[in-house]
Amino acid sequence: DAGITQSPRHKVTETGTPVTLRCHQTENHRYMYWYRQDPGHGLRLIHYSYGVKDTDKGEVSDGYSVSRSKTEDFLLTLESATSSQTSVYFCAISDWQSSYEQYFGPGTRLTVT
Amino acid sequence: AQSVTQLDSQVPVFEEAPVELRCNYSSSVSVYLFWYVQYPNQGLQLLLKYLSGSTLVESINGFEAEFNKSQTSFHLRKPSVHISDTAEYFCAACETSGSRLTFGEGTQLTVNP
């Protein structure tokens, strides 16, 4: 299995509070991604990174920001959490040689009350 | 941009019966196609992929998928399912020149004894 960890694995937070989710990889892969998974929607891309300090928006980026200061870490921040951001968040990684082949972390279940 | 549609949200079958999970895609450019599997409370795992060459691709646990360019489909099949195949299955597409995956909505396969 690809070396991807996510923290925390579960979090309950209140509306309006900031939340940061962390993705850590030990594979030295260039690309990293954040997705959210919601019933009936599959997985939707929030943001992705193609290198240190190089990031871009996905299809559902509103309300989220990301940072990547090191190859191994990709942080997802909800500046002011809303109930619509209750979801399961997955991080994924891929190598530059086969960037289409992504490996997923175990997920973070976030509940915003 | 591409889109992926999984035609069945839930597929219940009996153990040892055959199964087909349907996936159609839409894209103006060439794509790679994937099937991912998600077991309960886990991340996604790559099941099989079509990049080029033979249109029939197989996984190590007996699943196969056939790329049909004229029908823009990539259906997943297994001739005889096991209880352990119970999971959610996601079809995904990626432009051959890119790294961003587009996922379908998912199909929950439930294998009953």
Side-chain angles (χ1 to χ4, degrees):
Chain A
D1 290 346
I4 312 170
T5 56
Q6 293 184 232
S7 58
R9 293 293 314 279
H10 302 271
K11 186 170 182 66
V12 180
T13 192
E14 294 184 348
T15 298
T17 59
V19 176
T20 295
L21 309 183
R22 179 180 183 238
C23 177
H24 179 78
Q25 61 146 328
T26 58
E27 304 296 321
N28 200 36
H29 280 5
R30 176 178 178 180
Y31 295 88
M32 299 186 76
Y33 312 81
W34 277 107
Y35 293 90
R36 60 178 291 174
Q37 182 181 23
D38 304 289
H41 291 278
L43 276 78
R44 292 178 292 175
L45 183 65
I46 304 172
H47 282 280
Y48 66 103
S49 170
Y50 43 94
V52 173
K53 297 187 179 179
D54 290 323
T55 65
D56 206 349
K57 296 179 179 180
E59 62 180 305
V60 289
S61 60
D62 287 348
Y64 302 95
S65 62
V66 291
S67 65
R68 192 172 179 197
S69 58
K70 298 184 291 185
T71 298
E72 57 266 35
D73 290 326
F74 192 33
L75 304 181
L76 177 71
T77 298
L78 290 66
E79 301 291 347
S80 178
T82 67
S83 58
S84 64
Q85 294 175 312
T86 292
S87 187
V88 181
Y89 292 85
F90 286 98
C91 174
I93 64 174
S94 63
D95 198 7
W96 70 274
Q97 288 178 309
S98 54
S99 57
Y100 44 80
E101 192 163 327
Q102 296 182 18
Y103 299 93
F104 284 79
T108 294
R109 183 173 296 275
L110 176 67
T111 302
V112 183
T113 61
Chain B
Q2 66 266 16
S3 65
V4 177
T5 302
Q6 292 182 241
L7 301 171
D8 307 291
S9 60
Q10 299 196 30
V11 174
V13 296
F14 289 109
E15 193 173 19
E16 298 183 5
V19 71
E20 177 180 79
L21 307 184
R22 297 179 293 167
C23 173
N24 287 109
Y25 70 94
S26 174
S27 179
S28 58
V29 298
S30 296
V31 295
Y32 297 138
L33 295 164
F34 307 86
W35 276 99
Y36 282 83
V37 58
Q38 183 181 33
Y39 298 103
N41 300 312
Q42 294 186 26
L44 278 70
Q45 302 172 32
L46 181 63
L47 185 61
L48 46 76
K49 61 188 177 187
Y50 171 77
L51 304 181
S52 64
S54 173
T55 58
L56 186 66
V57 291
E58 299 178 350
S59 72
I60 59 173
N61 58 352
F63 282 95
E64 63 179 31
E66 186 162 18
F67 169 59
N68 188 317
K69 187 173 183 179
S70 63
Q71 297 186 5
T72 61
S73 67
F74 191 54
H75 301 333
L76 182 70
R77 303 184 182 96
K78 189 171 185 179
S80 177
V81 294
H82 303 290
I83 298 286
S84 59
D85 292 324
T86 293
E88 189 153 23
Y89 292 79
F90 292 93
C91 182
C94 175
E95 294 181 3
T96 57
S97 60
S99 64
R100 293 175 56 164
L101 286 175
T102 298
F103 285 87
E105 304 87 346
T107 298
Q108 174 64 44
L109 173 65
T110 302
V111 182
N112 298 301

